[in-house]
Amino acid sequence: MSCLRAAGSTAPARFALWPGPKFLYRLSGPRSVPLPGFAMPSLRRTLSSLSALATFEAAARLASFTRAAEELGVTQAAVSRQIRALETDLNTALFLRQHRRVELTRAGHLLAGAVTSGFDRIAEVIETLTDLLDWLDELDDVQEVYHNAALPES
């Protein structure tokens, strides 16, 4: 990732050019967001709702729509609707529904592994980015102290 700095600026670079077609992201502040004039490709064409995937992950891990609902703070019916919508998007059953329990199908096992790995990877990257931004903030503080220090007279 290459960093950009305003011409003539001594401030640390706070923007990153993401590898690929013209992605510019602000690295600091309350949120890292794409800057105006730079587009991020839509994943909507290929991915189901991230909310539905998160709901699926919880239901698959807990093997229960009821326990997933409790964990997510929604109703069991909401979990069931999210799972049904995901199954409709994928045109395949992800769970075998039995009296008071659910069991993953083969497709469900395959998707559960991918979703869990993906969410784990996202969590790792977020932690890395948070550590990097904390380090940059500390570096800013050190640079500010250094630049504001009175130089000894010769």
Side-chain angles (χ1 to χ4, degrees):
M1 182 181 343
S2 58
C3 289
L4 303 177
R5 186 185 312 273
S9 172
T10 58
R14 288 308 185 145
F15 300 94
L17 186 59
W18 201 262
K22 294 187 179 178
F23 298 134
L24 187 66
Y25 289 88
R26 186 166 186 269
L27 287 178
S28 65
R31 288 187 164 178
S32 297
V33 295
L35 295 175
F38 291 88
M40 184 166 173
S42 175
L43 297 176
R44 293 266 179 221
R45 284 177 254 132
T46 57
L47 283 183
S48 295
S49 150
L50 288 176
S51 175
L53 291 171
T55 300
F56 168 75
E57 187 278 333
R61 179 172 34 85
L62 299 169
S64 166
F65 288 4
T66 302
R67 284 187 282 163
E70 290 168 0
E71 180 176 293
L72 298 169
V74 298
T75 65
Q76 184 275 338
V79 169
S80 184
R81 279 192 302 272
Q82 289 276 322
I83 300 300
R84 182 67 67 200
L86 186 57
E87 290 174 325
T88 300
D89 285 351
L90 298 173
N91 198 30
T92 190
L94 299 171
F95 289 95
L96 297 173
R97 290 156 175 84
Q98 300 168 353
H99 184 67
R100 294 192 178 262
R101 76 175 202 171
V102 292
E103 188 177 316
L104 286 170
T105 63
R106 286 184 183 179
H109 277 288
L110 185 63
L111 183 60
V115 169
T116 299
S117 296
F119 284 162
D120 288 347
R121 180 69 180 125
I122 290 168
E124 290 170 8
V125 169
I126 289 171
E127 184 177 345
T128 300
L129 285 174
T130 301
D131 292 347
L132 173 63
L133 294 174
D134 289 346
W135 180 81
L136 287 172
D137 287 342
E138 289 175 21
L139 183 61
D140 282 350
D141 294 343
V142 169
Q143 286 179 337
E144 186 175 326
V145 168
Y146 176 76
H147 287 300
N148 292 336
L151 296 174
E153 294 185 29
S154 43

